[in-house]
Each structure stands twice: as structure tokens, then as C-alpha cells.
Amino acid sequence: WHSSGTYSVFDQKGGSCGATMRFRPESQDPANAGLDVARNFLEPIKAKFPKISYSDLWTLAGCVAIEEMGGPKIDWRPGRIDAKCKHCCPPVGRLPDASRNADHLRAVFYRMGMSDKEIVALSGAHVLGRCHADRSGYDGPWVRSPTTFSNEYFKKLYDTQWTIREWKGPLQYENPEKDLMMLPTDLELIRDPIFAEISKVYAEDEKAFFKDFSAAFKKLIEL
Ligand code: HEM
């Protein structure tokens, strides 16, 4: 998603096509800290199948990972061409900042051409994985089953009492058991009235979430 989420409808720069995260400055964008692990993980596949472009490989890997973890099928299409050098990198700083609010999310995602519904649907990917204190500075997983794709993230947003974690790191929220977390931007999805209405639908209807996520993710990886 970080290779795609740099796209701007205003200058048509960024996006998945090009796989420019191989180059500086994009590879050094603090928002991409730790993604070298994912890129390196795919290197043996690229070595075995050199004809596939990095940009097709990265987006395909995302779709396969989601599907393998129980998520919806995503209608992936090939055809992305890799950029040759760093001069094709989009400006650094286009990815969202987790310490900000709903206005910021709208500014970043509208710049990609995404709608409020697509912002909320895509954010449901935070059911997967975790935050790493040595990468983003944030710490912990969003749910207790972080390798299963489901609507659990939205359920947790609604059925948990989130309070500010007292620690030396950046502002983040924790559950009463202190084993799960939410970012400030995550909580905007139940604080902003328009986002909250959409989050509620996804918390109650996993099928609706899967359908909208699949369509939004396809759009994202084709930016
Ligand atoms: C809405 C704005 C978003 C913000 C502010 C945000 C922020 C973050 C942050 C701070 C982390 C922790 C990184 C680390 O410490 O390793 C993270 C992880 C993650 N994000 Fe997001 N994110 C956003 C949207 C998305 C979207 C749209 C997707 C995918 C469609 C996504 C998928 C993930 C995944 C899967 C992880 C876990 C990575 C891992 O386990 O290493 N995020 N995000």
C-alpha cells in the first residue's frame, strides 16, 4: 500500500507503477521504515521470475497475502512498468501521519482520488500486523488475530474502551487489558460522524467490508 499511496491526482506522480521505493529518497522516507524487510522477502521470487516487474510483484504479493489470510479475492491485473532511477520518485511525505486527524486523512486520501468510504474500508487492513517501536515509534497490534483478515478491527474500535497509553512513546491508545492498540488516526474512524457511520456498517457486516475493501484495494494498487 505504501508503494501505491503516494499517488496524486494533481500531478499524476507516485503510485504503484514504477516501484520507486527501491530508490532514495522514497526508501528512506520514515513512513517506509521496515518495508525493506518486505521488499527483501520478495527478492528470491523476483530472482526466480525476473520477467515480472517489481511493481507487479509487490502489488500481487499484497493481494495474495490478503487472500491467504482469509480476506477477499482482489482482482489483480499485471502491466506495471518499473522506473529506471530515483528521478521518478514522488516527493517524500505523501503518506498519512498517524498522529493527525480526520481532516488530514481526507487531505491525503482525496489527493489519491479516494472517497470517505474507501478511506474507512482501506483502514480495515489494520486488522493485520502490528506497529513496531523501532520503526514507526508506535507499539503493538490492533487485534489478537493479526494474521487473519476479518472485520475484527472495526469491532474492536466499537466494543473497546480506548484510553491514552502512558508511556514515553508517541500518543496512542490502549485497551483495558493493555495488549492492543489504536493510533490517533484509527480512532478518527469512530469520532468523525461520516467515518463512524461507515465503520459501524463494517463492524456489523463483514461481507460489506470485504466487498468494499476488495474494490478499494484494487483501485489503490492501480493508481
Ligand atoms: C489511514 C491512514 C494510515 C495510517 C496513519 C497508518 C499508519 C500505520 C502505522 C504507524 C503503522 C505501524 C508501522 C510499523 O511500526 O511497522 C502501520 C502498519 C500497518 N498498516 Fe497502516 N496506516 C494507514 C493506512 C493503512 C492502509 C490503507 C493499509 C492497507 C490497505 C495499511 C496497512 C497496514 C499494515 C498491514 C500494517 C502492519 C505492518 C506490519 O505488521 O509490519 N495501513 N500503519
Side-chain angles (χ1 to χ4, degrees):
W1 115 254
H2 276 208
S3 77
S4 308
T6 54
Y7 185 73
S8 170
V9 293
F10 304 113
D11 63 9
Q12 278 104 45
K13 291 214 171 82
S16 67
C17 206
T20 46
M21 207 197 291
R22 288 168 297 146
F23 308 119
R24 286 165 180 261
E26 196 175 340
S27 58
Q28 301 306 305
D29 184 337
N32 290 329
L35 288 183
D36 52 323
V37 176
R39 293 196 301 276
N40 292 339
F41 184 77
L42 295 174
E43 278 300 334
I45 300 174
K46 174 71 177 162
K48 195 166 172 191
F49 303 100
K51 269 195 185 159
I52 190 170
S53 64
Y54 278 103
S55 30
D56 275 347
L57 179 62
W58 292 352
T59 50
L60 178 60
C63 296
V64 171
I66 289 164
E67 207 180 322
E68 284 296 310
M69 288 189 274
K73 197 169 165 45
I74 293 145
D75 175 24
W76 178 86
R77 297 188 294 183
R80 295 163 195 77
I81 296 166
D82 289 341
K84 296 260 180 300
C85 65
K86 66 176 186 178
H87 299 296
C88 298
C89 284
V92 166
R94 284 189 167 183
L95 292 163
D97 173 349
S99 71
R100 306 280 298 279
N101 61 14
D103 289 345
H104 169 72
L105 289 181
R106 289 198 168 91
V108 168
F109 282 86
Y110 288 0
R111 190 211 65 227
M112 291 174 222
M114 295 290 178
S115 66
D116 285 353
K117 194 164 94 168
E118 287 163 334
I119 294 172
V120 180
L122 287 170
S123 299
H126 279 173
V127 72
L128 301 175
R130 59 173 292 129
C131 295
H132 304 80
D134 59 341
R135 295 179 187 174
S136 62
Y138 295 99
D139 176 43
W142 291 268
V143 302
R144 296 200 179 96
S145 47
T147 55
T148 300
F149 197 92
S150 72
N151 66 341
E152 186 63 21
Y153 166 79
F154 296 107
K155 287 187 178 165
K156 278 277 170 291
L157 272 174
Y158 273 104
D159 70 15
T160 304
Q161 202 62 29
W162 297 103
T163 55
I164 292 176
R165 173 170 170 184
E166 287 186 27
W167 73 317
K168 289 208 174 104
L171 173 67
Q172 66 175 64
Y173 295 82
E174 65 184 1
N175 60 338
E177 296 85 0
K178 301 182 188 301
D179 62 336
L180 302 178
M181 64 90 63
M182 286 288 165
L183 299 165
T185 41
D186 293 313
L187 286 191
E188 289 297 291
L189 302 185
I190 53 169
R191 283 179 180 156
D192 177 271
I194 298 170
F195 287 162
E197 221 173 285
I198 306 164
S199 298
K200 186 102 196 137
V201 171
Y202 294 156
E204 287 168 359
D205 184 351
E206 190 175 66
K207 264 198 185 150
F209 167 51
F210 274 31
K211 183 168 164 279
D212 292 352
F213 181 87
S214 176
F217 198 77
K218 174 182 165 65
K219 175 169 163 179
L220 177 72
I221 60 172
E222 294 192 353
L223 292 179

